[in-house]
Amino acid sequence: MPTAPHPQNTDELFQALQENDQLPYGRTRTVTAEELVDAAEQFAEPAPLAYALFELQEAYTYGSEPRKSPVVFARLLNLFDEQPDVFDERMRHMLFWRFKWVANALRALPEVPLSGLRQWLTEMRDRYVKADLDLQPYYGQAYQLAAHLGEDTLLAYELWAGRTRTRLSDCEACEICERALYHLGTGDDERALRTWEPVLAGKDSCQEEPARSVSYALLPLLRTGRTDRARELHLAGYRACRRNPSMAGEVGRHLEFCALTGNEARGLELLAENRNLFAEVESPLDLLDFLTGVEVLLRRVELLGHDSLPAAGYAGRTWTVAGLRTEVRGRADDLAARFDARNGTTAHTDRRNARLDRTPLLETLELTLRTRGLDDAGPAAPVAEPTARTTALPTSLPELILQARTLDQQGHPDGPACWARLRTLVAARDYAHPDDPALGPLVQLRADLLAEEANRAGEKDEFADAADLHEEAAALYDDAGEPGHAALSRACALLATAEIPVQGTDGAEAKTAALTSAHASMVRLHEETPGLAPFQEARLMRLKATALGLRLQTSRSDEHVAPVFAETDVLHAFATRHDLAGQLSGALQLRASTHAISGDLPAAVTETDALLDRLKAHGPAWHLPRTLGLRGRLQLGLRDAQAAHADLTEALRLAADWPADAIDTARLHSDLAEACMHLGHPDEALRHLTRSAERELRRGNRTDAFCTYSNAAQLSLDLGRVEDCIALLDSLLAEPDVTTGELDDRLIAQLRLTRARALHTGEDLKAATAEFVALAAESARWDDDPGSHAMIAAETAVLLGESGEFGRAREAADQALAAHARAPRYDQLSNCLRELARLQAQQQGPDGLADARAFLSDAGRVADEARDAEYEAHGRSLDTALAYEHGRVNAYAGQYDDALVALEKALTLLGDPGRDDDRAGEWAECVRLAGAVEGLYLERPAPALTRLDAAVSRLTALGHTEETEPLISLAARLRDEE
């Protein structure tokens, strides 16, 4: 089926060729190019056919279809021989340039005999000589053949590298890469890297560079100790080649880099992202390169004992690491053997074996903000944290049951491990419950297990499930004759039910009422359950106090403060009387939290200080990290970031002594990140944010984890770590529950939005624009959030404007204005419209002035709306910014009198700057532009100099000397031109 309308004339054909040239390389572009060749053949003129053939060969070459490229070139060559006059200078240059493309394509095909490769080089040489062209490009291809064969490379290199470059030579970046690879082949890493430096630094580039050079330079950088540089280039270089069939070899080398730096899990993640390459790479040479990199990775994973992990491989079946490695090894060995048989050497097998025999260059290198190990790569649930100190589990079943109950009564962190072991034992078909009165019947143990499961559900905020499980446990306790435990489970069910979120605007009021009711029911339950053991009664008291504390937290009502203190005082007295250290600590924590919620942070700190002193003297020790964390948060509230940092750091250190789930280390890391930001340590804050997200993932809290990762991504972007930001977000967006739409769509949109902004910051305008356009289309359907759509559409419009697509930019801006009408975003809309006006005037000059002024007219209406709404803009006023932009737009369009009038208005709106005025820079820029318009373009230097000199004097007197520099520079230029 045709992919585009069939061109009816040559103008339509050339338009279609131009449009196809804008598409990324791949099957769509290639198919369209094939159709356009068919269309060109209907016209009598040969030139359109030649251009169509050139486009098709390019699509085949960069679409990794080397078998088809020479066939198309043969048609071009025949056309050139038959009708040379059809080829103008540009077409002739392309024709002779592409002799090299054919040479590269033929080398990549093992079925082409060596004599055929040499015959083609002879043809190229003869054609160049006949056309009176320099032979440096021919010798370049002769060297590449020698390097491919692994024979006579020194002589071939000298014959090529010693010659002067010509117009038909490969681009500077590609030749630099070939020279560097030659030095790399001689074992001289340092010389290779020196040769590569202009490309790696971004000074020289082309279609394939610097991505190709980067992939080869990674290991030499590691071997020479430049690990940070290798990490940086891996992130940027991988993004440039991923999923691209024509750069499969580069992808393979990035996989190898991961395998040799302790990043095997990231390697498997990247392999999954590039699964398309198994089917889409048509070049046998590129495929050999890719498969060898894949095997290096899989071999390393196998050696680490993870051969049964799932791996992304050939379509049509599922693969394990071991199974895929066997398949890949067989295919790659066959390809290497075919090339060696064709070439009459062992070069490809030898090179392949050398790569496979490499040992890791680093035990570990943190490549991305999201550090993952192979244990995280499996399909199973979240992985446990590193093992901390725990109590040894008894081997005797009766002892295990008794220990689980004892630890549970104490609230000891080792209790869950006992319950987990018991859950496994009880679930076994051959389980036999001990006949021991001290242990109680099996129904009691099942109730214990249900109660523990309910507690875990509550910790994950799964309150409805928790309430149901607690009710089930209570019924089983009744059956077991344990009324005290049954009462506790029912009290827990009451609290969990009250915490189930209530939808609607009156949610807080409804929850307050539910907690009040739950507390009243607990009081009745307490009164109606005599004979409670002290630990049971203390727990019931703690639940009542917790219900009141949550009510205060929800309502923030002063009248709810005293009841919390009263309930905690009762609990404190009871726990003291019965020496229940855990409940006593809990009571004091509730008191401190109540002071904090009611706004008395100093009192909360005092309570916490006393509690810490008690815990250090009497325990329980596992309460120390949590209490230090609480004091750290209180110190943050008191704006003592240094004290908060110290407390939170100590809390994390102590938390390492206990099982992972015992302490909320995710919260500690998150709070530490906040403390670090207050202290001006953003890089440390970034590390704590990512650690917090990792802990949330391990606990199964994926939404919380992704929210924290989103914050980390934004912070990394703010720090200028663009590639870190993009790599983190790429990893998150590739997660299965993201791709299947299981996670919240707004959260995913936020991740994509941050990624689009990072792409823009990283100057990948095409990719950023595509993502923004997609997000704008999606957010247009967010009827409940027009403000976000206004913001996204506005940013989209600006990127389209930067790309020169002002028609689409106008459409996006209109969408933003429509959404803004429902949910005003004055600053964003004004900024967008002014920037679009500037871009259109700057890019199109007088031709774009009318449309640019239309954007400014819209911005004027937004400013009027903001003024009517008494909205205060962030930074400079919208009216001032608009007047300045009128000046700039008119200046770009050559309307200098109008520009000067607008700039005078902007200066009037700004007013004269003061000594401590942060508007001095804006005022100085306005003066500078007015001076330039007046002195340079209106050719009135005298008044311009008067303006500039007066401004310099005023700014100097006010101490704003830095702001005077551009004014002094402009004044000097005007005096020089007088």
Side-chain angles (χ1 to χ4, degrees):
M1 176 178 289
T3 60
H6 201 71
Q8 299 302 307
N9 53 54
T10 55
D11 288 342
E12 290 184 5
L13 175 70
F14 283 116
Q15 177 65 31
L17 287 170
Q18 186 176 6
E19 291 173 358
N20 199 43
D21 188 56
Q22 300 303 310
L23 295 177
Y25 295 108
R27 197 67 199 136
T28 300
R29 176 168 174 168
T30 300
V31 170
T32 302
E34 290 169 340
E35 292 172 358
L36 292 176
V37 168
D38 293 340
E41 289 175 332
Q42 71 179 318
F43 304 118
E45 304 170 55
L49 176 59
Y51 276 110
L53 289 169
F54 276 125
E55 166 63 24
L56 180 57
Q57 190 194 11
E58 182 177 342
Y60 284 147
T61 299
Y62 290 108
S64 188
E65 296 192 60
R67 289 181 174 85
K68 298 179 180 179
S69 173
V71 177
V72 177
F73 189 74
R75 292 186 65 183
L76 279 165
L77 207 53
N78 286 336
L79 187 59
F80 176 73
D81 290 339
E82 294 168 1
Q83 302 182 64
D85 293 342
V86 169
F87 289 73
D88 59 19
E89 182 59 32
R90 178 172 174 271
M91 295 170 70
R92 186 173 178 275
H93 178 84
M94 284 197 295
L95 183 81
F96 282 96
W97 181 279
R98 294 187 181 192
F99 273 90
K100 299 176 294 182
W101 286 11
V102 175
N104 290 331
L106 296 176
R107 277 199 309 275
L109 303 172
E111 62 266 30
V112 176
L114 184 58
S115 59
L117 302 184
R118 289 181 169 142
Q119 182 179 344
W120 180 254
L121 289 184
T122 301
E123 174 78 8
M124 178 181 176
R125 180 189 178 99
D126 292 346
R127 293 271 188 171
Y128 270 53
V129 169
K130 183 178 179 180
D132 196 25
L133 298 170
D134 191 272
L135 292 178
Q136 193 265 8
Y138 158 77
Y139 283 107
Q141 290 302 311
Y143 163 68
Q144 290 186 42
L145 177 59
H148 175 80
L149 299 174
E151 290 184 341
D152 302 323
T153 53
L154 175 58
L155 176 60
Y157 177 78
E158 290 177 346
L159 285 171
W160 161 62
R163 289 179 176 267
T164 304
R165 286 174 45 76
T166 74
R167 288 180 63 244
L168 287 168
S169 297
D170 282 343
C171 76
E172 186 73 31
C174 288
E175 289 206 343
I176 285 173
C177 185
E178 291 300 333
R179 289 196 294 271
L181 287 175
Y182 171 77
H183 297 311
L184 193 63
T186 66
D188 193 341
D189 285 346
E190 288 289 356
R191 188 171 182 184
L193 291 171
R194 284 197 303 273
T195 303
W196 258 318
E197 186 51 36
V199 176
L200 300 183
K203 296 176 183 176
D204 292 298
S205 63
C206 69
Q207 178 71 36
E208 298 174 339
E209 295 291 352
R212 180 168 179 253
S213 290
V214 164
S215 71
Y216 281 110
L218 294 173
L219 298 188
L221 286 167
L222 291 181
R223 289 193 291 262
T224 56
R226 299 171 173 90
T227 54
D228 288 343
R229 183 75 168 134
R231 175 187 179 277
E232 170 193 339
L233 289 174
H234 163 69
L235 294 178
Y238 169 71
R239 185 164 59 84
C241 64
R242 64 178 186 168
R243 296 196 294 267
N244 184 345
S246 69
M247 305 201 83
E250 284 75 6
V251 172
R253 285 185 284 278
H254 281 279
L255 297 178
E256 181 178 357
F257 175 75
C258 290
L260 300 180
T261 56
N263 286 279
E264 298 84 5
R266 173 167 169 79
L268 291 177
E269 184 179 295
L270 301 190
L271 178 61
E273 189 177 14
N274 290 276
R275 187 174 189 174
N276 64 300
L277 299 184
F278 285 106
E280 295 178 12
V281 179
E282 297 290 339
S283 165
L285 190 59
D286 289 346
L287 186 60
L288 171 61
D289 220 2
F290 170 65
L291 292 179
T292 301
V294 172
E295 189 178 351
V296 171
L297 171 66
L298 298 176
R299 180 173 181 270
R300 180 65 187 157
V301 175
E302 262 196 288
L303 287 173
L304 293 173
H306 292 272
D307 55 331
S308 61
L309 278 177
Y314 296 92
R317 60 165 286 189
T318 57
W319 297 92
T320 63
V321 165
L324 182 59
R325 186 193 170 201
T326 299
E327 181 72 18
V328 164
R329 181 174 59 228
R331 296 188 186 219
D333 282 346
D334 177 65
L335 283 171
R338 289 174 62 199
F339 277 110
D340 287 343
R342 189 270 302 275
N343 298 338
T345 67
T346 61
H348 288 275
T349 298
D350 293 344
R351 290 168 189 162
R352 175 170 147 72
N353 289 337
R355 290 177 69 182
L356 292 171
D357 290 342
R358 284 176 180 148
T359 55
L361 297 173
L362 289 173
E363 184 176 338
T364 181
L365 172 63
E366 190 171 306
L367 290 181
T368 68
L369 296 173
R370 190 184 184 195
T371 54
R372 304 180 77 205
L374 287 171
D375 287 335
D376 302 291
V383 181
E385 296 275 356
T387 304
R389 173 173 63 83
T390 58
T391 303
L393 297 182
T395 56
S396 162
L397 178 58
E399 290 179 10
L400 181 61
I401 295 172
L402 290 173
Q403 179 163 304
R405 288 171 176 164
T406 299
L407 294 176
D408 187 64
Q409 289 177 18
Q410 298 170 354
H412 196 288
D414 289 339
C418 294
W419 292 122
R421 176 62 181 151
L422 282 169
R423 184 170 284 104
T424 301
L425 294 174
V426 172
R429 297 182 66 180
D430 59 349
Y431 176 76
H433 191 68
D435 185 11
D436 185 342
L439 302 178
L442 175 58
V443 68
Q444 181 181 347
L445 180 56
R446 293 192 185 281
D448 292 338
L449 294 171
L450 276 175
E452 195 270 340
E453 184 181 353
N455 289 332
R456 286 189 287 115
E459 289 169 3
K460 295 179 181 179
D461 295 342
E462 297 168 357
F463 299 117
D465 291 342
D468 290 343
L469 289 167
H470 278 303
E471 288 290 0
E472 287 185 51
L476 293 181
Y477 279 129
D478 284 336
D479 293 344
E482 292 289 338
H485 284 302
L488 277 178
S489 286
R490 289 193 172 92
C492 289
L494 287 168
L495 184 59
T497 300
E499 288 196 81
I500 295 173
V502 179
Q503 302 299 323
T505 56
D506 59 346
E509 184 178 340
K511 184 174 180 180
T512 299
L515 288 165
T516 300
S517 175
H519 177 263
S521 297
M522 289 180 200
V523 171
R524 287 194 299 274
L525 188 63
H526 193 177
E527 293 170 349
E528 295 167 0
T529 312
L532 291 171
F535 82 89
Q536 293 172 330
E537 191 158 4
R539 277 195 181 178
L540 195 48
M541 292 177 178
R542 174 76 175 274
L543 286 167
K544 291 190 291 183
T546 299
L548 294 180
L550 289 171
R551 183 180 68 173
L552 170 63
Q553 186 176 340
T554 303
S555 69
R556 301 286 170 167
S557 171
D558 290 342
E559 67 182 71
H560 290 154
V561 175
V564 185
F565 282 129
E567 199 75 79
T568 53
D569 287 345
V570 172
L571 171 60
H572 183 273
F574 186 88
T576 301
R577 187 163 61 252
H578 292 278
D579 195 23
L580 299 172
Q583 295 298 349
L584 195 153
S585 169
L588 293 174
Q589 281 201 39
L590 275 171
R591 284 187 60 84
S593 297
T594 303
H595 280 300
I597 294 170
S598 61
D600 192 350
L601 294 184
V605 171
T606 300
E607 290 273 6
T608 311
D609 289 343
L611 174 56
L612 285 169
D613 289 341
R614 176 176 178 80
L615 291 173
K616 290 171 185 176
H618 305 290
W622 58 88
H623 281 206
L624 275 169
R626 183 170 55 192
T627 308
L628 283 165
L630 172 59
R631 189 169 72 175
R633 288 191 291 278
L634 295 172
Q635 299 288 11
L636 283 173
L638 291 169
R639 300 187 179 182
D640 189 346
Q642 194 65 55
H645 187 278
D647 278 344
L648 293 164
T649 301
E650 178 65 6
L652 274 177
R653 187 187 71 80
L654 294 175
D657 289 339
W658 303 100
D661 291 337
I663 314 293
D664 187 359
T665 53
R667 176 69 183 272
L668 294 176
H669 279 291
S670 179
D671 291 337
L672 252 178
E674 183 180 347
C676 290
M677 289 301 293
H678 287 301
L679 292 172
H681 303 152
D683 288 303
E684 185 182 351
L686 186 57
R687 285 196 299 275
H688 285 298
L689 279 177
T690 56
R691 299 297 183 270
S692 175
E694 289 161 19
R695 268 90 180 148
E696 294 286 15
L697 274 183
R698 288 188 167 102
R699 296 171 64 185
N701 301 331
R702 296 188 66 79
T703 298
D704 290 341
F706 275 67
C707 287
T708 305
Y709 271 132
S710 178
N711 293 336
Q714 184 59 57
L715 177 55
S716 64
L717 181 57
D718 294 341
L719 293 174
R721 294 172 61 172
V722 175
E723 295 300 339
D724 277 321
C725 174
I726 295 172
L728 171 61
L729 292 169
D730 283 345
S731 175
L732 295 173
L733 292 169
E735 286 285 312
D737 50 357
V738 174
T739 57
T740 57
E742 295 175 39
L743 277 182
D744 180 74
D745 62 336
R746 304 299 169 86
L747 174 55
I748 303 309
Q750 180 59 56
L751 297 176
R752 292 172 56 200
L753 181 61
T754 304
R755 183 178 183 274
R757 288 168 175 164
L759 289 169
H760 187 215
T761 304
E763 300 182 355
D764 192 343
L765 182 58
K766 188 174 183 179
T769 303
E771 186 66 276
F772 264 110
V773 167
L775 281 167
E778 291 179 26
S779 62
R781 299 189 292 269
W782 298 351
D783 293 334
D784 60 329
D785 190 8
S788 292
H789 175 55
M791 176 194 68
I792 293 171
E795 290 191 61
T796 303
V798 171
L799 264 69
L800 288 167
E802 289 181 17
S803 304
E805 298 185 56
F806 290 105
R808 295 177 67 197
R810 178 73 257 184
E811 292 174 3
D814 288 342
Q815 286 185 30
L817 285 166
H820 159 80
R822 296 174 56 201
R825 294 293 186 272
Y826 300 109
D827 276 308
Q828 290 93 334
L829 263 294
S830 177
N831 292 342
C832 158
L833 294 164
R834 297 194 322 267
E835 180 65 5
L836 285 171
R838 181 193 71 80
L839 288 167
Q840 190 148 18
Q842 184 180 39
Q843 293 181 28
Q844 297 180 350
D847 292 340
L849 181 58
D851 289 338
R853 284 176 169 170
F855 282 127
L856 292 178
S857 178
D858 288 336
R861 282 191 288 275
V862 170
D864 292 342
E865 293 168 6
R867 196 182 315 108
D868 293 342
E870 299 182 353
Y871 173 79
E872 289 190 18
H874 302 293
R876 61 180 174 172
S877 77
L878 300 186
D879 290 314
T880 303
L882 181 60
Y884 173 79
E885 210 59 69
H886 269 290
R888 191 156 57 160
V889 163
N890 280 296
Y892 280 132
Q895 302 297 308
Y896 301 118
D897 287 314
D898 291 343
L900 189 58
V901 169
L903 292 168
E904 294 282 9
K905 179 180 178 181
L907 286 166
T908 300
L909 290 170
L910 274 171
D912 291 334
R915 183 173 298 277
D916 299 321
D917 198 336
D918 58 4
R919 297 174 301 149
E922 183 183 354
W923 184 84
E925 167 55 22
C926 215
V927 171
R928 185 203 65 78
L929 184 53
V933 168
E934 191 170 28
L936 296 176
Y937 301 111
L938 292 174
E939 298 181 350
R940 301 203 295 259
L945 284 168
T946 300
R947 180 195 303 275
L948 292 168
D949 291 342
V952 168
S953 297
R954 180 169 188 81
L955 290 169
T956 302
L958 294 171
H960 299 300
T961 55
E962 184 177 344
E963 285 79 0
T964 65
E965 294 176 6
L967 305 182
I968 293 171
S969 176
L970 176 59
R973 178 182 172 185
L974 289 173
R975 288 190 171 93
D976 288 343
E977 294 181 2
E978 276 187 312

